[in-house]
Amino acid sequence: MIISNLQHFEKERHLWPAAIGRGIDYIVSRNLGEAEPGRYDLEGDNGQLMYANVQEVVTCPAAEQLAESHVVYTDIQFLIRGEEKLCFYKLHEGAKISDNKFDTHDVAFYESDPAQQETGVILQPGMFAVCFPSDVHRPNCTVTAPTANKKVVVKVHKDLLQL
């Protein structure tokens, strides 16, 4: 997982895969923060290599939010407006999938495990988290009270992250 913000982006981008830097560049250069909710193709035919989902969501308590992971795409979760807690842990053998949609939607949802220690990060506008396939993440969680958030989630295909 990578956690950063626009303030540090240019100083840190050389540390990350080039496709992650391009994803952040697309958010900024295409003003995706001002775009209407929906899907925006960025790279590849019909955006199969990289696309963005502009979302408007209301946060909810972490206990009501499902943890998820992906196999094909890495997420760049970029907060435009509001605040959210993003909870995560590393995928492990004991993680129990409750709803496997890897084949149709590149997502699986996980059973809650009270013994699992999740780490929570508070995202403020201009901050982003990069969730790799090994990062089980629970986005859109309430910090103190439900907030109406706007965020951009850039989906980066695994082929763009190969060395």
Side-chain angles (χ1 to χ4, degrees), residues 41-104:
D41 295 339
L42 303 174
E43 291 185 16
D45 293 335
N46 300 314
Q48 90 275 10
L49 292 177
M50 189 183 304
Y51 64 94
N53 287 321
V54 176
Q55 304 172 349
E56 291 182 348
V57 298
V58 175
T59 60
C60 63
E64 297 174 18
Q65 198 69 345
L66 296 173
E68 63 185 63
S69 74
H70 312 286
V71 173
V72 177
Y73 288 95
T74 289
D75 283 359
I76 303 172
Q77 304 235 352
F78 189 102
L79 193 63
I80 302 298
R81 179 181 67 234
E83 67 176 3
E84 82 171 68
K85 184 176 184 181
L86 175 72
C87 302
F88 64 95
Y89 61 89
K90 288 311 240 184
L91 186 60
H92 58 87
E93 256 184 45
K96 293 187 175 98
I97 294 176
S98 62
D99 190 6
N100 185 338
K101 295 183 179 184
F102 282 138
D103 291 339
T104 58

Side-chain angles (χ1 to χ4, degrees), residues 1-5 59-60 62 65 77-79 82-90 117-131 135-144 147 149 151:
M1 170 149 317
I2 297 170
I3 300 161
S4 193
N5 58 37
T59 60
C60 63
Q65 198 69 345
Q77 304 235 352
F78 189 102
L79 193 63
E83 67 176 3
E84 82 171 68
K85 184 176 184 181
L86 175 72
C87 302
F88 64 95
Y89 61 89
K90 288 311 240 184
Q117 293 290 324
E118 289 186 341
T119 300
V121 175
I122 307 298
L123 295 180
Q124 300 289 334
M127 292 181 70
F128 56 90
V130 179
C131 303
D135 297 319
V136 177
H137 52 286
R138 187 184 309 266
N140 305 318
C141 298
T142 298
V143 175
T144 55
T147 59
N149 289 359
K151 69 190 302 185

